Amino acid sequence: MFCRAGLYQNKVFRLAISYPIDSRNLDIGNNVVGILWVLLDLISNFLRTGSMAGALMHGRPAAGPSIAISFLLVAVACSFAGLCYAELASMIPIAGSAYTYSYATLGEIFAWIIGWDLILEYAVSNMAVSVGFSAHLVGLLDWFGILPDLRWITPAYLPGGLTDLQGNTLYDPGWHFGFNIPAFVVVMLLTFVLVRGIRESARTNNIMVLLKIGAILVFVGFASHLVHPDNWHPFAPNGWQGVLTGGSIIFFTYIGFDSVSTAAEECKNPKRDVPIGIIATLIICSILYIAVAVVLTGLVPWQSLLDDAAPVVNVLKRLHLDGVRLIVLLGALIGMVSSLLVFQLGQARVWFAMSRDGLLPKLFSHIHPRFRTPDLSTWIAGFVVGIPAGLLDIGTLADLSNIGTLFAFALVALGVMILRYKQPDRVRHFRAPGGLLAPIVTILTCGLLMMGLSITNWIRFFAWLAIGLVIYFSYGMRHSRISKLNPKP
């Protein structure tokens, strides 16, 4: 399988998914401004502002203020995973996603599993982000004194119920009559934009990133003066089990390694520049995440933040910091729109690539005759994300996204180990330093974080994988390009 995949390396066509990283000179020593802009490109895919805040305190058992340590644990796992992604990406001469790289280097079944997992990862993470967007949009309307009907701005399923800022119960835990219309509408509007076609400017995207970072710094700068240290005690109410579970829950806020891996081919000195780019990105994002977590848990008791899709703005409202709240709201909304746009684009392109390779029906690779975009796969991706976003809460969605992302990271690391053994002489423009250290640490840390997720998430994930394998063996394997090039006698 692995050798045969190598024969078709040049047949893997151009983008399964492309992120807004342009072909700048990444040589750090000669182009400081260029590498700063590229870092902003990478940060833009990590810094999913609203979704980070929404997942911040969601955990079982709760991490409490020690969620800051959880962010550090996740950053370590991501740093090694990023190096593995970069090595795999550097083995083929095109930009793409983990699916594209796996198809070209590891073979069809391996690529199918990763592609199927990427669909879960991108779809569910965007569901969570759209729920966070809705909560922040409602917060913006509230700032202007507009209070929509609660039934149409909250998910139909609320496992923890819903209370107002005074602690009054609005909805009991479970299902209720309602639909999160803002979450659904924002996804469908962006889907319409993507179908018509969009050429995203990297510089414009970076300006939006700067606005996101500015909003975070404003919050940390103003709110840090109101911190009550007593709220940090106990710092880790559930010990290391809480820290581990917290890391498992907030992991999806670090999604974005496809964008890191595409930079490997564009570097003048990839052995130096790729690790620096990955580590610098992780350090910047982790500092921002930890700063928000420390300040937020110091402002109010962490128990009051559980299952809140917009905890930062709600805490600012409670503290009557209306000016800061408006800045944070606008920064978060801008950040979430850019994030939703990029990852909806990515999800549709993964479906397109798998259909192009024969693993999914041809309708997923249909191209609009006028706009020249994969219109059907984009619309399907929009409804797949939009409808669940209207029904489910952010915690339920974040859990499912996390296990898919962790599994994908571990699988890519395993692929790097296999290729080191099977194809040791294959050209690698970048090789993860430390021998097998990076893939081994990635597998161990991802496995450890996966253990922090509930049994319900494991059941849902294995059900998703089982459905995927049924589709592959019943359709994909018989219609794939490789099967047509090598028909059975």
Side-chain angles (χ1 to χ4, degrees):
M1 175 67 74
F2 301 113
C3 294
R4 184 173 64 167
L7 295 176
Y8 302 107
Q9 175 180 340
N10 295 327
K11 296 181 180 292
V12 180
F13 298 125
R14 307 299 189 262
L15 297 187
I17 174 173
S18 180
Y19 289 97
I21 292 182
D22 56 6
S23 299
R24 299 184 184 93
N25 182 338
L26 302 191
D27 185 64
I28 293 175
N30 299 327
N31 193 351
V32 176
V33 175
I35 192 62
L36 289 176
W37 282 117
V38 170
L39 285 177
L40 286 175
D41 279 328
L42 304 183
I43 292 169
S44 70
N45 289 326
F46 282 117
L47 207 56
R48 316 187 83 181
T49 310
S51 59
M52 178 273 287
L56 190 59
M57 288 293 104
H58 180 80
R60 299 163 309 279
S66 66
I67 194 76
I69 300 178
S70 301
F71 277 116
L72 284 176
L73 175 63
V74 172
V76 171
C78 288
S79 62
F80 287 102
L83 296 175
C84 293
Y85 262 80
E87 177 171 331
L88 194 62
S90 72
M91 295 176 68
I92 60 175
I94 63 173
S97 70
Y99 166 77
T100 309
Y101 307 142
S102 301
Y103 195 93
T105 56
L106 296 170
E108 189 175 271
I109 181 62
F110 204 104
W112 168 267
I113 294 174
I114 285 187
W116 190 248
D117 191 56
L118 284 176
I119 292 174
L120 176 70
E121 174 186 330
Y122 292 143
V124 180
S125 67
N126 259 7
M127 294 174 200
V129 175
S130 60
V131 173
F133 175 89
S134 174
H136 286 77
L137 180 62
V138 171
L140 182 62
L141 294 175
D142 176 69
W143 195 89
F144 287 104
I146 302 173
L147 301 175
D149 190 327
L150 197 60
R151 291 176 297 176
W152 311 121
I153 58 174
T154 56
Y157 178 62
L158 295 167
L162 184 66
T163 60
D164 59 20
L165 295 180
Q166 289 72 41
N168 301 315
T169 300
L170 301 175
Y171 285 115
D172 292 323
W175 290 90
H176 69 92
F177 178 73
F179 190 78
N180 195 339
I181 292 179
F184 175 79
V185 170
V186 68
V187 173
M188 302 316 298
L189 287 176
L190 293 178
T191 299
F192 176 76
V193 171
L194 290 172
V195 168
R196 293 186 63 87
I198 181 171
R199 296 194 176 190
E200 187 174 9
S201 165
R203 189 61 58 93
T204 300
N205 188 66
N206 290 334
I207 292 173
M208 297 174 73
V209 176
L210 290 175
L211 292 175
K212 287 189 276 185
I213 295 175
I216 293 175
L217 294 178
V218 167
F219 165 72
V220 173
F222 278 88
S224 59
H225 300 292
L226 303 174
V227 162
H228 298 284
D230 290 343
N231 290 325
W232 291 328
H233 301 288
F235 184 73
N238 289 285
W240 280 106
Q241 186 180 4
V243 173
L244 177 61
T245 302
S248 303
I249 298 303
I250 53 90
F251 196 88
F252 85 108
T253 61
Y254 281 87
I255 290 176
F257 274 113
D258 286 277
S259 63
V260 177
S261 61
T262 58
E265 277 294 315
E266 299 171 0
C267 294
K268 263 193 173 182
N269 187 353
K271 291 183 179 180
R272 180 190 65 181
D273 297 346
V274 169
I276 291 176
I278 291 173
I279 300 303
T281 302
L282 284 166
I283 289 174
I284 294 170
C285 291
S286 297
I287 289 174
L288 294 172
Y289 285 158
I290 292 170
V292 173
V294 170
V295 172
L296 191 59
T297 54
L299 290 174
V300 296
W302 62 267
Q303 295 89 340
S304 65
L305 303 171
L306 292 173
D307 297 319
D308 189 344
V312 173
V313 294
N314 287 331
V315 168
L316 290 173
K317 180 180 179 180
R318 195 181 309 176
L319 298 175
H320 305 291
L321 296 174
D322 292 335
V324 177
R325 179 161 68 105
L326 179 61
I327 294 174
V328 171
L329 280 168
L330 294 175
L333 289 170
I334 291 171
M336 284 182 279
V337 167
S338 66
S339 177
L340 285 167
L341 190 66
V342 170
F343 282 82
Q344 278 301 107
L345 172 68
Q347 181 189 181
R349 294 314 188 266
V350 170
W351 291 18
F352 172 84
M354 295 177 74
S355 173
R356 174 204 62 201
D357 295 329
L359 299 177
L360 288 175
K362 291 184 178 180
L363 68 92
F364 289 99
S365 55
H366 178 269
I367 298 295
H368 193 284
R370 177 184 173 188
F371 303 125
R372 310 306 299 167
T373 58
D375 54 336
L376 293 181
S377 63
T378 303
W379 278 115
I380 294 172
F383 283 105
V384 165
V385 171
I387 293 175
L391 297 172
L392 302 175
D393 74 305
I394 193 170
T396 301
L397 295 170
D399 288 354
L400 193 55
S401 174
N402 287 329
I403 195 167
T405 306
L406 287 162
F407 182 77
F409 282 12
L411 211 56
V412 166
L414 179 62
V416 169
M417 293 179 65
I418 293 173
L419 288 171
R420 290 274 188 97
Y421 174 73
K422 292 282 188 179
Q423 302 178 28
D425 299 325
R426 186 163 181 163
V427 176
R428 292 168 171 82
H429 297 286
F430 171 78
R431 181 185 290 266
L436 294 177
L437 177 65
I440 290 175
V441 173
T442 299
I443 292 172
L444 291 177
T445 52
C446 288
L448 182 65
L449 288 168
M450 289 175 75
M451 296 302 295
L453 294 168
S454 67
I455 187 65
T456 302
N457 284 287
W458 281 91
I459 294 173
R460 291 170 180 167
F461 178 65
F462 281 123
W464 175 259
L465 282 183
I467 293 171
L469 290 174
V470 168
I471 295 174
Y472 173 74
F473 287 111
S474 62
Y475 179 89
M477 188 172 65
R478 294 187 292 109
H479 294 83
S480 71
R481 290 190 172 193
I482 290 181
S483 67
K484 292 179 180 179
L485 289 172
N486 296 273
K488 293 183 179 180

